[in-house]
């Protein structure tokens, strides 16, 4: 089955050389047959008539029409993808950009002295400029391409951390952080004999701002905080936290993995020293992401990996290096990943971002109310500012069993520790179920989730 053709919307990928056409009739690799099936009607929960999310000038259909995978079925049911916190689905524009790159424009970058190398380099650097614009950075040179958020944070820990941390220094890390914003700090702290100090949470799952203020001191070198939590949905007051950290001379790294697909980000307004995100949570391919750093910090950063691309001249007596950001991008980068990221940014920014955020907020309110009608269901976290992440427990069922039940209805959620064990431990849990929403999710899909959960609660429990 080929990917259904959908109406073009949003600007086409800029800069494809020679007006390169997209490979015709591209099917899924190996002609992978996607299970077909008829569309089942949306089930309605016994929740009474909940007020539908108000129209905010954004219609999820305008995004859905571009996402081919949303037309597939899973276990005989139309797919309901509520695992966006793990990864987002890809618009046709991104899928086609990858095909077009490999079909008509593939080349390595920077080094080659030929037309296609120059064209590929231009596309790669257009991607860097697009990321800079998307994050509100002052220059494309403030952007380092990495594999994703995890690699970005490890880069900062290994490069900046190794040069700037020492015995007795504190790294403050919020308890709600993803493991990728905890473990790299533990590793570098061990080597430099610095300390990782957790910033506690309130019972609502917000970062305890009083405790944070008390923990900051002249020993604090770095504060690591998520712009949005992948398990509690909490959106901490990062701008205020950054201003406070700066009073002590500390740097602030913001993990934007869960934020960038949900609300507009301006790194200079936040005054963040570092900002990291993963493309795959932003409708782009896996294996590509970006690190923003303030130019004066980036300039002072030392290489963390050596190889091609990051050097100027190599000699056994003395090697000289390329300037940042290339200094921090050893080896061949994920060129097609950048092409896909550029297409994803073009696609995503063609929507009214404030309207998208308002829609998601209304959808989350709807989902919270609908889930409250499921007996025995409890949602974790109720911080005042949140993204549409709903992590929950269901009395009488372990989270893996809940995910398995929903999967039989074609509904994809995640169960487990969500790579945020300290955040779950805050609630005395080791595991929970999580539905995470994106702009293309609808209230009908929330209804299907709730109806399936209610059926699970009503189903006879296995004996013994
Ligand atoms: N931080 C947060 C808040 C995340 O949700 C994730 C992914 N779940 C990461 C970091 C790590 O992202 P990646 O695996 O793409 O590097």
């Amino acid at each position: 089955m080929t990917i259904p053709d959908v109406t073009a919307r949003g600007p086409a990928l800029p800069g494809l050389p020679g007006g390169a056409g997209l490979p015709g009739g591209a099917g899924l690799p190996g002609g992978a047959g996607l299970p077909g099936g008829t569309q089942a009607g949306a089930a309605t929960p016994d929740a009474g008539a909940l007020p539908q999310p108000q129209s905010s000038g954004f219609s999820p259909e305008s995004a859905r029409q571009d996402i081919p995978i949303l037309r597939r079925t899973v276990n005989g049911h139309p797919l309901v993808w509520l695992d966006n916190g793990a990864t987002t689905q890809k618009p046709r524009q991104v899928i086609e950009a990858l095909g077009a790159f490999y079909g008509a424009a593939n080349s390595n970058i920077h080094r080659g002295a030929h037309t296609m190398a120059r064209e590929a380099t231009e596309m790669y650097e257009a991607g860097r400029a697009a990321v800079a614009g998307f994050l509100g950075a002052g220059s494309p040179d403030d952007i380092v391409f990495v594999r994703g958020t995890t690699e970005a944070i490890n880069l900062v820990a290994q490069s900046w951390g190794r040069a700037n941390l020492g015995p007795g220094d504190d790294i403050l890390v919020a308890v709600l952080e993803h493991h990728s914003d905890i473990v790299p700090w533990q590793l570098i702290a061990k080597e430099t004999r610095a300390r990782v100090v957790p910033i506690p949470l309130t019972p609502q799952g917000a970062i305890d701002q009083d405790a944070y203020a008390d923990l900051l001191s002249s020993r604090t070198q770095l504060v690591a905080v998520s712009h949005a939590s992948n398990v509690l949905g909490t959106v901490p007051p990062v701008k205020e936290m950054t201003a406070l950290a700066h009073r002590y001379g500390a740097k602030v790294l913001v993990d934007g993995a869960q934020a960038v697909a949900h609300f507009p980000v301006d790194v200079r307004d936040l005054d963040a020293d570092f900002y990291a995100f993963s493309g795959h949570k932003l409708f782009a391919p896996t294996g590509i992401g970006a690190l923003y750093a303030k130019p004066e910090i980036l300039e002072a950063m030392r290489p963390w990996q050596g190889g091609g691309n990051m050097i100027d001249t190599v000699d056994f007596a003395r090697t000289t290096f390329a300037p940042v950001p290339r200094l921090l991008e050893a080896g061949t980068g994920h060129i097609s990943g950048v092409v896909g990221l550029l297409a994803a940014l073009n696609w995503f920014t063609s929507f009214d971002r404030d309207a998208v955020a308002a829609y998601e907020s209304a959808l989350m309110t709807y989902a919270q109310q609908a889930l409250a009608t499921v007996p025995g269901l409890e949602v974790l976290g109720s911080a005042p500012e949140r993204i549409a992440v709903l992590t929950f427990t269901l009395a009488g069922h372990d989270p893996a069993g809940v995910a398995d039940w929903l999967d039989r209805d074609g509904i994809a959620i995640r169960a487990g520790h969500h790579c945020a064990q300290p955040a779950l431990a805050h609630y005395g849990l080791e595991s929970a179920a999580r539905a995470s929403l994106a702009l293309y999710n609808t209230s009908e899909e929330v209804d299907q989730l709730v109806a399936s959960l209610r059926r699970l609660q009503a189903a006879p429990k296995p004996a013994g």
Side-chain angles (χ1 to χ4, degrees):
M1 174 179 163
T2 53
I3 297 172
D5 187 25
V6 289
T7 316
R9 59 169 303 285
L13 177 74
L16 264 187
L22 300 174
L28 283 181
L34 297 180
T38 50
Q39 298 275 319
T44 310
D46 290 338
L50 287 171
Q52 292 291 313
Q54 290 300 306
S55 162
S56 60
F58 168 77
S59 156
E61 284 310 321
S62 60
R64 288 183 81 79
Q65 67 173 1
D66 287 341
I67 315 273
I69 211 168
L70 296 179
R71 314 230 219 307
R72 74 162 280 178
T73 59
V74 171
N75 297 326
H77 298 272
L79 169 64
V80 175
W81 183 258
L82 302 179
D83 197 15
N84 296 289
T87 200
T88 51
Q89 296 301 351
K90 315 307 173 201
R92 178 181 63 77
Q93 290 83 343
V94 169
I95 301 165
E96 289 178 351
L98 296 179
F101 176 72
Y102 281 122
N106 179 49
S107 167
N108 209 330
I109 54 169
H110 295 302
R111 281 157 281 215
H114 53 74
T115 303
M116 283 173 60
R118 275 194 300 280
E119 289 172 349
T121 305
E122 273 166 30
M123 264 187 272
Y124 198 74
E125 295 307 325
R128 200 188 299 280
V131 171
F134 180 70
L135 293 180
S139 160
D141 290 343
D142 305 345
I143 304 298
V144 182
F145 283 125
V146 286
R147 277 195 297 132
T149 310
T150 304
E151 190 171 70
I153 298 172
N154 277 279
L155 188 165
V156 176
Q158 293 300 321
S159 171
W160 179 90
R162 196 178 292 283
N164 289 282
L165 295 171
D169 286 343
D170 285 349
I171 307 163
L172 303 191
V173 178
V175 164
L176 52 64
E177 294 311 303
H178 188 277
H179 296 166
S180 65
D181 202 21
I182 299 175
V183 183
W185 304 119
Q186 290 176 325
L187 293 175
I188 196 67
K190 192 153 188 219
E191 280 183 46
T192 57
R193 294 198 288 132
R195 285 195 314 169
V196 173
V197 181
I199 316 169
L201 302 180
T202 67
Q204 291 73 37
I207 295 178
D208 185 330
Q209 294 298 319
D210 292 336
Y212 171 59
D214 288 346
L215 287 171
L216 279 166
S217 76
S218 57
R219 288 189 307 277
T220 313
Q221 295 299 329
L222 186 106
V223 174
V225 62
S226 279
H227 209 181
S229 157
N230 68 314
V231 64
L232 303 174
T234 307
V235 178
V238 166
K239 186 174 174 178
E240 291 72 18
M241 290 178 72
T242 302
L244 201 52
H246 285 165
R247 278 203 231 157
Y248 292 85
K251 304 283 183 250
V252 177
L253 177 138
V254 184
D255 171 347
Q258 295 292 340
V260 284
H262 296 290
F263 51 84
V265 171
D266 185 331
V267 288
R268 283 186 297 169
D269 180 56
L270 291 175
D271 203 19
D273 298 290
F274 303 102
Y275 197 99
F277 77 87
S278 303
H280 73 97
K281 295 183 198 287
L282 186 61
F283 319 106
T286 50
I288 187 68
L291 170 71
Y292 158 84
K294 279 186 182 161
E296 62 275 18
I297 299 176
L298 208 52
E299 282 294 332
M301 274 166 70
R302 38 170 101 166
W304 76 306
Q305 293 176 342
N309 194 46
M310 51 80 76
I311 52 86
D312 184 16
T313 60
V314 176
D315 186 282
F316 281 104
R318 182 167 173 269
T319 287
T320 58
F321 295 100
V324 288
R326 274 172 56 202
L327 178 72
L328 299 168
E329 294 178 350
T332 298
H334 187 2
I335 304 164
S336 64
V338 172
V339 169
L341 178 58
L342 176 55
L345 290 176
N346 282 341
W347 178 77
F348 186 46
T349 57
S350 71
F351 298 107
D352 175 340
R353 302 285 309 286
D354 290 329
V356 167
Y359 170 73
E360 283 188 23
S361 168
L363 185 62
M364 180 175 68
T365 304
Y366 180 80
Q368 283 170 317
Q369 291 169 350
L371 286 170
T373 69
V374 180
L377 188 146
E378 276 192 51
V379 172
L380 264 56
S382 53
E385 299 289 327
R386 301 181 56 194
I387 54 163
V389 165
L390 295 147
T391 298
F392 61 91
T393 55
L394 190 62
H397 300 277
D398 73 81
V402 173
D404 190 52
W405 171 276
L406 292 170
D407 183 50
R408 284 183 237 162
D409 284 340
I411 302 168
I413 65 151
R414 177 139 181 227
H417 56 57
H418 310 289
C419 299
Q421 287 178 352
L424 283 182
H426 176 68
Y427 290 94
L429 296 171
E430 287 178 3
S431 164
R434 179 188 73 184
S436 46
L437 311 178
L439 78 168
Y440 43 65
N441 290 125
T442 64
S443 58
E444 289 78 23
E445 290 179 313
V446 171
D447 291 345
Q448 287 168 42
L449 168 72
V450 169
S452 184
L453 289 170
R454 291 175 68 91
R455 280 197 298 276
L456 173 59
Q457 277 305 48
K461 306 276 179 298

